[in-house]
Amino acid sequence: MHDLLKGKRLGGLAFSEMGIGSDLAAVKATASRTADGHYELRGIKRWVTGGQILDSALVLAIADGGPTVFLVDCHSTGVRREALSDVIGTRGSMMADIHFENVTVGDDGIIGGEGMGLAIATGILDYGRLSVAAGSVGIVQACLDCSVDYAWPCSKDGRQIGDFQLIQELVSKMSVAASAGRALVAEAALSKELGLSSTLLKTCIAKQFAATSAVQAANDAVQLHGAAGLTTRYPVERLLRDAKVMEIIEGSTQIQHGIIAEATRDALRQVRGVR
């Protein structure tokens, strides 16, 4: 643990599995007690960011006491990695599927105690959602920068495509989305820094808005560039690939909608004094 804090070892999260979507309560990985009091971890974790090079991973598995998070040494016997290179928008993430085949973990590997895994995982993912939201705002800003440069090139010869109102509408929407997304991310970050109870809701709102805005901005940027936007000569085709993954990782857009709707319902009931 000390080496992780000092940056001498690389750590990551291994929560996702095939077929469970964002429902962490449905994980199938198991951690069984052995005769000598240790745990034996079995399961496959999918799409692990940095999975090809991680030294340690936080793994969510079902123990006797319920969902539990374990800190696992990824160099242990029984850990097998399967590199992934075909997932769009993640080329720099060194993503991998990690197989845990009867991996031994001691009591000191439990984070927070048996049965506390979902609460711990939710808290960790809240930080991930905030980072995804911030990255999504960056994508929107990049789309805006590229679109302005393409629509109003430095050349003054003839009419530029940026002078057409429909093109201006696309640029305007990107500008508004970048400003609004930046404000929502800042609000969520401040809420988290202050430890407010509204942090989870604000982070979900920021993530949902910024991620969907990134996809829309990237689509519009490619459209604005026309056929040129489909080529590697311009960065907007990469931005479109990078944007889509933001609607899926750290809780899909649909998951964010559910959390936001339920939190809004509960808040209104509280204000109205209705249970």
Side-chain angles (χ1 to χ4, degrees):
M1 179 67 77
H2 293 297
D3 286 341
L4 284 171
L5 296 175
K6 292 178 180 179
K8 294 181 178 180
R9 290 173 64 87
L10 181 64
L13 305 179
F15 292 165
S16 297
E17 296 180 7
M18 178 65 80
I20 68 168
S22 297
D23 184 8
L24 294 181
V27 297
K28 298 179 178 62
T30 60
S32 305
R33 279 282 192 181
T34 62
D36 58 4
H38 293 136
Y39 290 87
E40 203 167 64
L41 187 65
R42 304 181 186 89
I44 304 173
K45 294 299 180 177
R46 305 295 306 275
W47 310 291
V48 179
T49 300
Q52 298 177 33
I53 57 174
L54 290 182
D55 294 304
S56 301
L58 291 177
V59 181
L60 181 63
I62 305 299
D64 292 339
T68 303
V69 172
F70 295 86
L71 179 62
V72 181
D73 185 342
C74 291
H75 302 294
S76 298
T77 301
V79 176
R80 180 168 60 86
R81 313 174 200 234
E82 184 179 347
L84 301 175
S85 58
D86 59 351
V87 184
I88 65 169
T90 64
R91 291 184 179 179
S93 299
M94 302 197 76
M95 191 176 286
D97 292 342
I98 301 183
H99 299 247
F100 297 93
E101 302 165 349
N102 301 326
V103 179
T104 300
V105 183
D107 281 338
D108 57 350
I110 295 180
I111 305 298
E114 277 196 21
M116 297 182 64
L118 293 183
I120 293 172
T122 300
I124 293 172
L125 289 177
D126 195 45
Y127 284 95
R129 289 191 182 114
L130 186 58
S131 67
V132 170
S136 297
V137 172
I139 291 175
V140 176
Q141 184 64 52
C143 290
L144 176 59
D145 293 344
C146 291
S147 296
V148 169
D149 290 342
Y150 190 82
W152 289 279
C154 293
S155 173
K156 300 298 182 182
D157 298 332
R159 191 173 186 186
Q160 299 172 320
I161 66 169
D163 295 332
F164 292 94
Q165 287 184 332
L166 290 178
I167 297 298
Q168 292 175 356
E169 179 186 2
L170 297 180
V171 173
S172 173
K173 288 194 300 183
M174 292 180 213
S175 181
V176 171
S179 295
R182 194 171 287 112
L184 288 171
V185 169
E187 183 181 17
L190 179 60
S191 178
K192 181 172 288 296
E193 184 176 347
L194 296 176
L196 302 181
S197 59
S198 59
T199 295
L200 177 61
L201 175 59
K202 290 184 183 299
T203 302
C204 288
I205 289 174
K207 200 268 188 186
Q208 187 276 330
F209 179 84
T212 54
S213 294
V215 173
Q216 184 62 60
N219 269 312
D220 288 346
V222 170
Q223 191 73 19
L224 183 148
H225 281 69
L230 301 176
T231 71
T232 56
R233 291 176 55 196
Y234 294 90
V236 290
E237 63 84 25
R238 178 180 63 81
L239 292 172
L240 181 58
R241 288 186 280 107
D242 288 346
K244 187 55 191 175
V245 71
M246 298 302 197
E247 286 197 305
I248 297 173
I249 58 175
E250 305 296 350
S252 68
T253 294
Q254 288 68 36
I255 289 294
Q256 308 310 315
H257 281 310
I259 296 173
I260 293 167
E262 291 179 3
T264 302
R265 175 203 63 196
D266 294 343
L268 286 175
R269 286 179 174 177
Q270 185 175 7
V271 170
R272 296 169 181 172
V274 179
R275 293 184 178 179

